[in-house]
Amino acid sequence: METIQFNLPQDRIPRVWYNILPDLPKPLAPALHPGTLKPIGPDDLAPLFPMSLILQEVSMEREIEIPEAVRQIYAQWRPSPLFRARRLEKALDTPARIYYKNEGVSPAGSHKLNTAVAQAYYNKQEGTTHLSTETGAGQWGSALAMASAFFGLECRVFMVRVSYDQKPYRRALMEAFGASVTASPSNQTESGRAILAAHPDSNGSLGIAISEAVEIAAKDPNTKYSLGSVLNHVLLHQTVIGQEAIEQMALAGDDPDVIIACTGGGSNFAGLVMPYLGRKLKGQSKARIVAVEPAACPSLTKGRFTYDFGDTGHLTPLVKMHTLGSSFVPPGIHAGGLRYHGMAPLVSHVMDLGLVEATTVQQLDAFAAGIRFARAEGIVPAPEANHAIAEAIKEALRAKAEGKPRTILINLSGHGHFDMQSYIDYQAGKLQNYDYPEEEIAMALAGLPVVE
Ligand SMILES: Cc1ncc(COP(=O)(O)O)c(C=O)c1O
C-alpha cells in the first residue's frame, strides 16, 4: 500500500506556541491609540481582552507554553492529520507531490478552534463570564461557541448578514453549543444602527460585525471581546499547525518547496507558515510561501500598507496592515471568512519584508478547484480553503508543464459541510466572479486615517 497519512500520536501535540516576533529582521509597527496616535499600552486594551492575551500580543518570548488544560482539549482532534493527496496528483497527472494538513477534522470544522480554546481558557482564568465576537463564515463563531461551552462562558455572536442568510445550519450549530447569534448589522448596537440607517439592505461585513461585538464588550464589564483572526495572539495560537506539519513532513521524508494557504485575516496562513518562516530565516528551509486571497477582496495584493482601523465603526486601535479601507464592504462572495478589508499586521509585515508572496483567485475558479479536490480526495473543503487548493492545483500543473517535480504543502483550513448551499449554487451556475471593485476601494482608501 502507498502511505497517504503521516500522523503523530497524542503526546506530540506541541507544548509551546511559536512566536516569530523575536526572529524577525525588523520589528512590527506598534498599534496606535486612535485619539492620541501614540502607541497603545496594555491598559488601553484591558476593557476588551484578558491581560494574559494582551501580554501575548506584545510578547518577545520565542516559545510560549501551552497550558495543560488547553492541550487536553486540543487532544479532541490534534495532532491533525497530514495527507499526501495521491489521488489528486494522479487526477492532475502531475509530477508534483501534494500534501494537505487537514484542520477540518476539528469538531467545529476548522482551524479556528485552535485559538478559540486558548482564548476561552484565558478569559475563564481571569474571571470573564461573557464573550462577544463576530463571525463571517460561521466557522469562527462555531469554534468560540464550542470553546465557551467547554469553559462555561456565555457567548454572543454577531454573524455577518449574508452568511446568516446563506448558512442557517452554522447558526444552528452555534446555538447547539449554547451561543446566541444575531445577524449583523443589527439594531442592537449603535454601530449596527448607524450602518442600517445608511444602508438598510446591508450584506454586512466582518468589519461591521467586529464593531458590534467590540461595542458590546466595551459597554459591559463582564463581557470581553474575542477575535478570530488578525491579532498576534490569535496567529500565535495557530502555530500548532505548522509545528505539527514540520514533524509530519519529516515522517513523509519530504520537505515543502511551496507552502500555500488562504488569507482572510491571516490566521490559518500564519499558523502553517510561521514555523516554516522561522526556519527559513535560519537558512533551514527554502520554501516559497504563498498567501491566496479572493479577487473580490484583495487586501495583500491591491491594498495599501498603512495604518487603518480594524473595524468599520472605528472602535478599534489603528494597526499597520495591508488594507482596502475600513469602509469597504466586499462583494457577497461565499468565502465569508475572506471578506475582511484588512490583513493581520504580522502577515502584512512579512509580506512587506518580501518574505512571503500573495496572489488572488476568482470565486468560480475556487469552487472548480474545490469540486476537483472533493472528487479526488473525498473531502468537500470550506469555500475559503478552496482558494488555497486552486493555487496548489495551478502550481501542480506548472510542475507538469515544466516537467519538474516539486513538493506542495496546503493548509486545508476547514471542511465545507455547512457550506453546501454555495456548492448547490455553484453547480447550478448561479455564482459569479467579481472584478476587483476599483472605484469602491479607491473611495474607501480616500477615507484612511492620516497617521504618517
Ligand atoms: C475555513 C476557513 N478558512 C480560512 C478562513 C480565513 O480566516 P484566516 O485568514 O484568519 O485563516 C476562515 C475564516 O472564517 C475559515 O472559516
Side-chain angles (χ1 to χ4, degrees), residues 409-431:
L409 172 62
I410 320 169
N411 200 357
L412 182 62
S413 54
H415 70 65
H417 296 174
F418 291 100
D419 303 279
M420 296 316 292
Q421 187 59 47
S422 60
Y423 281 89
I424 292 173
D425 290 349
Y426 170 70
Q427 308 255 44
K430 287 190 191 156
L431 296 193

Side-chain angles (χ1 to χ4, degrees), residues 109-112 135-140 206 228-230 235 262-269 336-338 343 382 384-385 413-415:
S110 78
H111 67 293
K112 297 282 182 184
T135 195
Q139 291 269 20
W140 165 241
L206 279 168
S229 189
V230 180
L235 276 50
C262 69
T263 43
S267 75
N268 87 88
F269 174 78
L338 306 184
M343 182 51 60
E384 292 80 8
S413 54
H415 70 65

Side-chain angles (χ1 to χ4, degrees), residues 109-123:
S110 78
H111 67 293
K112 297 282 182 184
L113 201 52
N114 297 326
T115 183
V117 172
Q119 293 191 45
Y121 167 83
Y122 289 114
N123 271 289

